[in-house]
Amino acid sequence: MDLWTHPRLTAAVAGEDWAALLRTYRKLTGMSQTKLGELVGLIQPDVSDIERGHRRVTSVEVRQRIVSGLGIPPALLATIGERPEASPVPRLAPMGIAPDADLLARVTSAVDHAKRVDTATLDWLDRLLAEHRRAEDVIGSRPLIDVMHRQLRTVVDLHSGARGNLADRVVRLAAEHAQFLAWMAQDQADNATALAWYDRAHEWALEAGDAGMAATTLSMKAHMAWSGGRGTRCVRLAEAARWSVPGTSLGVQGMAAQMEARGHALNRDADASHRLLDEAQTLVSQASEHSDDEPPWMYFYDETWFALQRGMAEMHLGAWPTAIEHLTSGLTDLPDDYRRDKAWYRACLAHAAAGAAEAEQSLKVALQAIPDAAAVGRPHAWNELHVAAAALLRLKAPEGQHLVAALKAHD
């Protein structure tokens, strides 16, 4: 029987259950963890950790290597996400950070004890959300999830006491909170929860007439598709962010354009990727000249961030020296306050340097990234450092063993 018709393998692919996929594949083929690791570019301890659930597969590069190394058929990949027995919304209930069942009703109907709403209260909530966004850059998402969930409840409870423009502003503020909660769930690799929150944020943005937030939620869903290795879905969602929501700012348009470019890069379409990256660079540069026109959640998105994201696109295209150039430039200008993001982009730079066979540079950057990746960069930055270690080991460079030892010290 063809290996990829086995029901356990097809179910593992459809559900993106990488642990079950590796275990089942080895059982059916009689392959050792070491041999399977050679196929997919991972060291044996990493294969073991994935199979036992001690490590989650969130890196695009790791997913691509598993798909290519094991030869998963394209037709089977098209079934990813098809889990009829497990709808995302019911799964959210026991997790404690997803939307409550009555949340939509509460924002669109009266509650028993309406609270007085005024401009000063909403201004304060705006400032509070902005501070939490900046705190998340430093301490990571995990400590803030419960705080933001409670804060959203406060915003929702204000809706019944608001009228006219204030009511629209409450819904807009709720959309911003939902988008932030979605991002934090995505940062923790909880994609089902993130998707539910992005959908809720998008609906509220449309209700409030907030074009910028409606487009941003589509761009962030494109980012989720990119992180899952689904290039075509990333392109389609980014296109929707650009063309289905007119009236967005230059920065929001630039974010969507670079996401579309990264989707094309994931599909190895260099011409389309470079064309869109050039277009995005123009938009982001123009946006920097009119920063007051950008929505508050775009505070971080500037030419420094664009250089870093351009570097990631070049990584997908295998243009390692160009990727190193952009990542190095962006990291040089990235403020130290962005602790979580510095860990991520340093991990990407370590991977790019390993791809370029610059083993010494790769190890140096990886060692700089490890403390923050271990503290606030799990799972994404941490997994990317493991990818860099695997790439160094494939080069048979001694730096690979040094990096493996350094990672183990924090595992």
Side-chain angles (χ1 to χ4, degrees):
M1 184 178 65
D2 178 42
L3 183 70
W4 291 105
T5 63
H6 194 284
R8 290 185 182 177
L9 278 181
T10 58
V13 173
E16 295 185 88
D17 188 343
W18 303 101
L21 176 64
L22 297 189
R23 286 196 308 268
T24 304
Y25 187 92
R26 288 201 311 107
K27 182 176 181 180
L28 294 174
T29 60
M31 189 175 292
S32 68
Q33 289 182 341
T34 299
K35 182 62 178 176
L36 186 142
E38 291 174 0
L39 288 180
V40 300
L42 292 169
I43 58 176
Q44 182 274 327
D46 285 344
V47 174
S48 176
D49 284 348
I50 292 171
E51 289 189 0
R52 291 183 296 162
H54 294 170
R55 177 182 171 192
R56 303 179 72 174
V57 178
T58 59
S59 165
V60 174
E61 299 294 339
V62 173
R63 293 174 187 227
Q64 283 184 306
R65 289 207 306 275
I66 292 175
V67 169
S68 300
L70 301 186
I72 301 178
L76 197 55
L77 293 174
T79 68
I80 284 180
E82 295 180 2
R83 286 182 279 185
E85 76 286 357
S87 172
V89 176
R91 173 177 171 261
L92 302 180
M95 302 185 68
I97 63 170
D100 295 292
D102 65 338
L103 199 52
L104 185 58
R106 292 174 68 202
V107 82
T108 55
S109 62
V111 293
D112 292 338
H113 303 289
K115 298 176 174 61
R116 179 174 176 271
V117 184
D118 54 30
T119 300
T121 299
L122 298 182
D123 286 345
W124 178 80
L125 285 168
D126 272 333
R127 291 195 301 273
L128 191 59
L129 176 58
E131 290 301 321
H132 281 136
R133 288 187 186 277
R134 285 163 175 78
E136 195 259 348
D137 293 327
V138 180
I139 65 176
S141 57
R142 195 179 301 276
L144 287 171
I145 290 174
D146 288 340
V147 173
M148 296 311 303
H149 195 219
R150 290 192 294 270
Q151 190 167 310
L152 175 58
R153 282 182 173 275
T154 299
V155 173
V156 168
D157 284 343
L158 292 174
H159 187 266
S160 62
R163 298 291 182 271
N165 291 336
L166 286 180
D168 288 340
R169 188 173 170 189
V170 170
V171 178
R172 184 178 296 112
L173 189 56
E176 291 186 34
H177 280 73
Q179 182 265 339
F180 188 34
L181 279 164
W183 159 250
M184 290 192 292
Q186 184 179 343
D187 184 54
Q188 293 301 315
D190 187 356
N191 290 337
T193 300
L195 184 61
W197 277 122
Y198 280 136
D199 286 344
R200 185 60 53 81
H202 187 75
E203 291 171 8
W204 281 339
L206 293 177
E207 181 182 342
D210 191 337
M213 177 53 72
T216 297
T217 55
L218 291 173
S219 285
M220 297 307 295
K221 288 173 76 171
H223 186 278
M224 282 185 64
W226 166 82
S227 66
R230 304 174 71 182
T232 301
R233 177 174 171 80
C234 175
V235 169
R236 299 277 170 77
L237 285 166
E239 287 176 340
R242 297 191 71 191
W243 307 123
S244 70
V245 190
T248 58
S249 69
L250 292 170
V252 171
Q253 294 175 43
M255 174 187 281
Q258 66 84 20
M259 276 311 317
E260 187 179 350
R262 282 161 64 182
H264 283 298
L266 204 56
N267 289 339
R268 301 302 178 96
D269 186 343
D271 290 341
S273 181
H274 288 146
R275 172 177 55 80
L276 283 159
L277 286 169
D278 289 342
E279 184 178 346
Q281 186 160 16
T282 299
L283 288 167
V284 173
S285 177
Q286 292 174 344
S288 67
E289 299 172 3
H290 305 279
S291 57
D292 290 344
D293 295 337
E294 296 300 319
W297 61 86
M298 294 290 290
Y299 67 94
F300 67 93
Y301 202 76
D302 56 16
E303 292 177 90
T304 296
W305 236 268
F306 178 75
L308 292 163
Q309 291 165 339
R310 187 158 199 157
M312 287 194 293
E314 298 294 351
M315 287 177 66
H316 293 315
L317 295 170
W320 303 115
T322 308
I324 291 172
E325 178 184 349
H326 287 298
L327 290 168
T328 302
S329 171
L331 277 165
T332 299
D333 295 332
L334 189 64
D336 290 334
D337 289 347
Y338 294 103
R339 186 182 174 199
R340 190 262 330 279
D341 298 292
K342 276 218 163 185
W344 164 246
Y345 289 114
R346 278 174 173 160
C348 290
L349 179 56
H351 180 186
E358 298 289 346
E360 185 176 346
Q361 180 187 5
S362 177
L363 177 62
K364 179 181 178 181
V365 174
L367 292 177
Q368 290 178 325
I370 282 177
D372 284 342
V376 298
R378 297 175 189 265
H380 300 292
W382 194 248
N383 284 355
E384 194 71 9
L385 289 172
H386 281 272
V387 172
L392 290 171
L393 290 173
R394 289 197 300 276
L395 292 173
K396 301 190 184 304
E399 287 84 357
Q401 294 294 346
H402 289 307
L403 181 51
V404 168
L407 291 169
K408 283 183 177 178
H410 289 77
D411 272 331

